[in-house]
Structures are given as C-alpha cells and as structure tokens.
Amino acid sequence: MTTFPRLGAPGVFTSPYYPNHGERLRSQFVPDEVVNPHIRFPTLAANIRARRGRKVEINVPIFRDVNTPWPFKDPNINYDLHDYPEDDDVRNGAAKENHIYMDAMVFGMGSCCLQITFQAKNINEGRRLYDQLSPLGPIMLALTAATPLYRGYIADTDVRWNQISSSVDDRTPEELGEKPLQNDRWTIPKSRYAANSTYISQDPQLRPEYLDPDLVVDEELKAKLKEGGMDDLLATHFAHLFIRDPLVVFSEDLQSLDLDKTDHFENLQSTNWQHMRFKPPPHDKDTGWRVEFRPMEIQITDFENAAFSVFLVLITRAILSFDLNFYIPIAKTTENMQTAHMRDAVLDRKFYFRKRPLPERRPHKHSASNSSVNLSGMNNGVGVGGGGGGGGGNTNGVSHTHTQQQHHQHHHHLGPSRPPSPMGPVEEEYCLMTIDEIINGVQQSSSSSSKTFNDHSSEFPSVDPTDPPNDHDIPPSTSKDNKEGNEFPGLIPLVESYLDSMNIDVSTRCELNRYLSLIRKRASGELWTPARWIRQYVRSHKGYRGDSVVSEDVTWDLVRAVERIGCGEGVVVGWLDGLGGSGGLDEGRGDGLGGDGDGKRRREGWEMLGDLFDCGDLLEEE
C-alpha cells in the first residue's frame, strides 16, 4: 500500500506506542519515532520547517459521503497546543475547511511508489528519453492510482503526488508570492517536488513553444555553465534546479572543496524531486547516463508492479526505434499532473496529449528489411521502419528492472533520417484525450465495449444526490477537444508493433501480453485502479458509517485483505478467454473481506478482486 490508512489518526498506529508532538517534527499527529533515525532525515524535516518559518501544510480534499459533516471541520485537530511556535499554524488557518490536514514531512515522504531508472547508451539518448517520457508521467500516475486514504479519512483524490510535494515544500512566504520580495531573489511557482519544468534534448522536434514561459532560472549560474561549454538547454535545466537552497549539508563537506567529488552537486540534484530525473554519471564511476521515471504509485501485487515496469521499458524501446514524438507544452503536462489527482481520473477525465507521435517520413534507405514494422494507418498510411528512427538509440538500453536483448537490425542513424523541424500552430499538435484513447488508441477506445466504473455503481453506497457536490465532482472538461486530425494509435499498439519487429519466442510474447492486457483493461475501465477498489472496499465494509472515517476495524480488515492479495493467498483468478474469470474463496477460512463472517459477502468480495486483478494464475488458492 502507498500509505498506512490511519497514520496520524487518533489512537495507536505504531508498535510500540509513542506520543505525538516531539521536538523534531513538532507534529500534533505523529511521533518523532516514525522518522528514520539517521541524522539526515530529522535534519531535513527541521530545515524545511525552519526555512519556511512554519510547519509544512498538507491539505487533501475529503471525500463527501452520505453522513460526512458538511462543511467538514476535522474534530481531531488540537487548536490549544502551545508547546512550539509552529503550534500557531492551525490558529492561523493552516487547516482548510473540507480538507484532511497533515503537518509533517512523513505524510508525504513516507509514501511508497514505483520508480524506474533507465540506462541510456549515451548522453543524447538519455536527454531524449527524459523529454519523451515526461508527457507520460501524468498518464502513468493516473493509471497506477492507489492512494485514497489519509489520516483515517477517505480522500477525494486518488494519488500521492501533491501530498509529497507539500510535505517538502520549503518555499518562504516571499517565494510563494504571499509577501513582496525583499529578502528572497524570486517568486517560485512550484515546490521542489513537482512536475518537470524543462526539456533538455537537442531534438529538432523540440519547439520553443513547448518550453515553460514562467521558468525561474539563476541567470548568473546559467551564464557560467554556458561559458564552461554546456549548451543552452542543459544549462537552463541545471540553472533552474539550482535556484533552490541545499536542505542538508554535512559539516565535513564544508572543510574543503574537493573537485574530485560530486557531493555538493548531488546534494541539490537529489533534493529536486521532479517527476523525471536526468542523472549524470559521477566522474569516477562508469555508471553511464541514466533517466529516472518517478510518478507511478506502488501496486498491491508483484504482477501489477512488474506489468507497469515492463510496459515502461517497452515504451522506451518503441520511442527509440520509431523516433516517436510525444512533445506537448510543459504547461500542459503540469496541468495533466493535477488532473491525474482527481477521483477516478483514469476514466472520468481527459488529458492533453500529442495527436501524431510518428514521424512523417519514409523508412531509412539502409534499414534492414527484416525489421520493418507495419504501422500503416497510424500515421496517414505511412509505414515506419523499425530501424529508421533517428532518435540516436539502438535497443541496447538497460533498465534497472529489465534487461533488453540486443538486436543487430535495430541500429539507428543520426543525420538525414531525422525529421524536419515541425511547423504549424502548436495548439493543433495536441488535444484532450481519455486515458483509454492514449493507451489503447483513438479507434479502439471509441469502439470499446469494456466495462466502466459506473457499471458497478449499484454495488456500493451512493452519495445523496441532494447534497452539494464535492469540489472535485465536476464533469469532464467541456472545452473544445480539437480532435480533428487526431490519429493517435495508442501506446499499447505502438509497443505491440515494436514487439512484432523483434524475434521474440512465443512463450515470452505470451507473458508480455499478460502484462499488456492488465494495462489495456485498466485504461478502459474493465479493471479497477487500486485507489478505486480501496475506497469502495472501505465504503462497503459493515463497520463503515458513511461519514468518510476509516476506523481501526475497517483498517484491520483492509490491510489483511491487501496482504492476502499480495501474497496470493485465498484468491482464485481465472484466465478465461483471455479476460479472466470470477473469483472464489475457501469457505473454511472464515475470514472474508468484510470481516463479517457472511459467506455470500466473502464470495462477492473475492469476485470483485477477480475483476480487479485479472492476472492469470498469479494468485492461486493455497
């Protein structure tokens, strides 16, 4: 699970028990003992608080259920504490109405996630992957949504990203724009944990219009980097990261400046937590150029985590093989990251995405004939050779989670095979799409008969329609989608075309198809996100009172169910006609999902899991 549901809730949530409100965190919800005792971590929390001049403020919209008090004012916030100066925060309005309030770094940085680091063959390939994977961040965040519970309440969001962003936000009131600039150098629009703000590839497909017009850069530092030989894009990237102060500095590092070490660089680089990270190699190590993809949420089962890891590896191979272009303006990716937080965004929201990712050119004349890929219909009927990409990448890249075989037919060539710089209005290059359209393709999704979340609406308590809606209960965007000319083929069809060009044995291809099937169905709504299932599990529990509160009894049963799912105990998931079947339960166990001993309820619960985790024989009966 991404977070423990009752971290910071009233009662005992640690073993052994420790009192809250210690010197290091000064949190009224969690004890200091939940923080790693290494000096770096309590120092990090203290320095963020000291730089801000107050504790961090994390406010997550609460899910409004039938009995949720409205307006919601958290009854568990103590406004009468006077032990530390930061105790004034709540009296000064830190806790927002209708929100779940949290006040310590642990509520964000204590989360679990799925991050993947890719090894690039050189700096150019690393820069290209950094750029092309960036627009995919919000899509994969929404697809892996798994965080609907905080501090013993149901949230009206599905993912963790903004909570972590707030938990390490060290900006001062001046940098936040709350006060006029006097002591600080600039107003900074984003936390140091945020969506990317730069593109760095020297790709002719990168247009100036894609760049962030509001980017804050240390111009003096940028000039020094360029003077030292760094190109403008990369100098801008690092000059943007270095607008931040270091959060933790070890005293021994200040005794002398050792130019043979990169400790000071890594100190700032590693505390800029953007959704992509470009990782230069240390000068004394042969680690190569790496790119880290950071937004995905941890999943309940190993199968899901493997599926998303392998899927992302295959996307990188398709990007380099087909010279794919996913560029959209950075501002739209930032907007997409916010959209990904919405409840059930995977089906109910639309995201800005590029309409035509394929280069409009013929295959390179030197491409091996046995590597040609049939992508007709994906790009105005123009086929694209698997070896004709000019992205500078063959397929010898290695991920930390997956090793990709080398194939001689997939060498690429720089130079004349690269597409010309794009022309025409940038606004015509992208449009709003559903995640189903982005993953499965515009044509497939429009004709899909997959289930949607609404198909299950009768299984769970519904919100009183006479109640005012939640802040996030708004219809999908009604702005003009600009779908004219939208021929997006879908990420999975692109990956499948790449696989078709490879000499892969049948067994491996079948295993890959199982992974792709999960992602395809997650995008279409046939399978649920973990966030959807967790929220509905809580709401259907016999001990839930419809008031958005996740009690200790509900938490116990939820965590036990998640543990059993993850361990493959008790769940039988069929693989019928490639779609999966209904679930079952060993009636002798007597420990159903709802914890109520009712056999029918248990069977229905496991059938729900069978629909959610369509993972073949991964989860087997003991």
Side-chain angles (χ1 to χ4, degrees), residues 232-369:
D232 185 80
L233 282 170
L234 207 54
T236 299
H237 171 74
F238 287 115
H240 168 65
L241 297 185
F242 278 44
I243 65 174
R244 313 287 179 174
D245 284 345
L247 289 176
V248 177
V249 178
F250 294 100
S251 58
E252 56 267 26
D253 291 336
L254 299 178
Q255 301 303 317
S256 61
L257 179 61
D258 189 346
L259 296 179
D260 291 330
K261 294 183 178 180
T262 56
D263 292 355
H264 291 297
F265 167 78
E266 291 296 343
N267 190 10
L268 282 168
Q269 160 92 343
S270 65
T271 54
N272 273 274
W273 297 282
Q274 299 186 348
H275 82 270
M276 295 292 303
R277 179 175 286 161
F278 182 64
K279 306 176 77 168
H283 83 286
D284 58 343
K285 296 181 181 178
D286 188 23
T287 55
W289 298 86
R290 294 163 296 160
V291 175
E292 185 178 13
F293 189 84
R294 301 171 47 80
M296 292 190 291
E297 309 246 292
I298 197 71
Q299 304 294 282
I300 293 177
T301 67
D302 290 343
F303 180 87
E304 294 167 284
N305 290 313
F308 282 103
S309 299
V310 170
F311 178 57
L312 205 62
V313 171
L314 293 175
I315 287 177
T316 65
R317 301 304 93 195
I319 288 171
L320 298 175
S321 293
F322 301 147
D323 197 19
L324 299 179
N325 176 9
F326 293 133
Y327 277 123
I328 60 173
I330 285 174
K332 295 302 180 184
T333 297
T334 301
E335 186 175 340
N336 282 347
M337 286 292 283
Q338 298 308 308
T339 303
H341 285 72
M342 302 296 190
R343 176 162 44 91
D344 294 337
V346 69
L347 277 192
D348 294 344
R349 303 290 162 173
K350 294 184 178 181
F351 296 75
Y352 291 102
F353 211 75
R354 191 175 185 88
K355 294 188 286 187
R356 298 178 180 177
L358 294 160
E360 298 194 23
R361 55 180 170 77
R362 295 292 179 180
H364 193 280
K365 64 180 180 180
H366 298 300
S367 298
S369 59

Side-chain angles (χ1 to χ4, degrees), residues 8-265:
V12 178
F13 53 84
T14 62
S15 180
Y17 168 79
Y18 296 100
N20 302 333
H21 213 225
E23 168 67 27
R24 291 179 172 180
L25 294 181
R26 303 187 180 184
S27 169
Q28 61 170 279
F29 304 119
V30 293
D32 287 349
E33 285 77 8
V34 300
V35 178
N36 188 310
H38 188 283
I39 190 62
R40 169 183 171 85
F41 299 99
T43 303
L44 192 66
N47 287 354
I48 290 173
R49 185 177 65 246
R51 194 179 187 281
R52 283 176 55 89
R54 52 191 170 181
K55 290 188 292 186
V56 295
E57 297 176 8
I58 309 168
N59 284 281
V60 186
I62 193 167
F63 175 77
R64 185 179 183 183
D65 214 332
V66 289
N67 295 322
T68 305
W70 210 260
F72 174 78
K73 296 182 179 179
D74 191 342
N76 299 312
I77 296 176
N78 188 343
Y79 289 87
D80 295 323
L81 290 173
H82 296 276
D83 296 332
Y84 308 108
E86 295 85 356
D87 290 336
D88 288 337
D89 290 356
V90 291
R91 290 186 285 273
N92 293 331
K96 295 182 179 179
E97 191 175 80
N98 300 329
H99 285 70
I100 306 164
Y101 169 67
M102 293 164 281
D103 64 351
M105 190 176 73
V106 68
F107 287 107
M109 282 298 190
S111 304
C112 298
C113 62
L114 176 63
Q115 297 175 351
I116 306 177
T117 297
F118 298 96
Q119 183 76 61
K121 71 172 186 177
N122 55 37
I123 184 174
N124 291 331
E125 184 174 282
R127 293 171 71 170
R128 176 159 173 73
L129 286 176
Y130 177 93
D131 280 13
Q132 295 303 321
L133 290 174
S134 182
L136 301 181
I139 311 307
M140 302 306 293
L141 177 61
L143 265 177
T144 57
T147 319
L149 308 179
Y150 277 102
R151 255 197 65 231
Y153 293 110
I154 306 177
D156 202 36
T157 58
D158 274 4
V159 300
R160 80 200 186 286
W161 189 265
N162 280 349
Q163 286 71 268
I164 309 179
S165 177
S166 297
S167 76
V168 293
D169 191 352
D170 68 333
R171 289 175 295 172
T172 67
E174 291 182 17
E175 290 171 336
L176 286 165
E178 297 174 352
K179 295 181 179 180
L181 288 175
Q182 292 182 340
N183 302 311
D184 294 310
R185 301 173 64 185
W186 34 57
T187 300
I188 304 176
K190 294 180 181 178
S191 167
R192 62 196 303 149
Y193 195 113
N196 281 17
S197 296
T198 59
Y199 286 132
I200 63 175
S201 178
Q202 292 179 305
D203 188 331
Q205 299 175 117
L206 175 58
R207 303 177 61 174
E209 297 93 325
Y210 301 151
L211 303 178
D212 186 350
D214 301 319
L215 187 69
V216 180
V217 173
D218 186 329
E219 294 293 348
E220 182 179 352
L221 176 60
K222 178 180 176 180
K224 289 181 179 179
L225 293 174
K226 293 180 68 175
E227 183 180 337
M230 189 176 288
D231 62 82
D232 185 80
L233 282 170
L234 207 54
T236 299
H237 171 74
F238 287 115
H240 168 65
L241 297 185
F242 278 44
I243 65 174
R244 313 287 179 174
D245 284 345
L247 289 176
V248 177
V249 178
F250 294 100
S251 58
E252 56 267 26
D253 291 336
L254 299 178
Q255 301 303 317
S256 61
L257 179 61
D258 189 346
L259 296 179
D260 291 330
K261 294 183 178 180
T262 56
D263 292 355
H264 291 297
F265 167 78

